[in-house]
Amino acid sequence: MSKQLQTAITAISQLSTREELKAAFSAVKAQQDIMARQTAMTIAKNATVSFTHNGETLRGTVEKVNPKTIIVNVGVGRNWKVHASLLTVEA
């Protein structure tokens, strides 16, 4: 665990109101959205990707790239809408 992460966790554990916790959660969500958009920009249509669902690794082909989510075809007629940050591009 990085020093930066340890500091963030310590700061979160010291929050004392629901409003403070909501603000921290909003900041985390905003950062996740930024990371998802950055990842989505690096994934191309027809790329092979994988992701984990309920402990099972699913692999498929990118059908559509949205700003934060990717439509992945994992089999005949089986499309999944996956948050970009959860995908791994296969080589």
Side-chain angles (χ1 to χ4, degrees), residues 37-50:
R37 289 177 194 272
Q38 290 171 339
T39 301
M41 289 189 298
T42 67
I43 298 175
K45 186 175 179 180
N46 297 320
T48 301
V49 295
S50 64

Side-chain angles (χ1 to χ4, degrees), residues 22-37 68 83:
K22 280 182 175 180
F25 180 74
S26 292
V28 169
K29 186 169 179 352
Q31 184 60 29
Q32 285 177 322
D33 288 347
I34 289 168
M35 292 170 65
R37 289 177 194 272
K68 293 189 291 185
H83 199 266

Side-chain angles (χ1 to χ4, degrees), residues 5-83:
L5 180 58
Q6 288 175 340
T7 301
I9 291 170
T10 300
I12 289 169
S13 68
Q14 294 173 354
L15 299 178
S16 60
T17 67
R18 185 179 273 309
E19 290 76 26
E20 290 174 338
L21 195 54
K22 280 182 175 180
F25 180 74
S26 292
V28 169
K29 186 169 179 352
Q31 184 60 29
Q32 285 177 322
D33 288 347
I34 289 168
M35 292 170 65
R37 289 177 194 272
Q38 290 171 339
T39 301
M41 289 189 298
T42 67
I43 298 175
K45 186 175 179 180
N46 297 320
T48 301
V49 295
S50 64
F51 61 98
T52 302
H53 176 71
N54 289 339
E56 178 184 359
T57 299
L58 301 172
R59 286 179 178 75
T61 304
V62 173
E63 295 289 320
K64 183 177 179 184
V65 178
N66 297 311
K68 293 189 291 185
T69 60
I70 310 293
I71 306 298
V72 180
N73 184 319
V74 295
V76 179
R78 292 189 59 206
N79 287 344
W80 287 70
K81 187 176 188 178
V82 183
H83 199 266

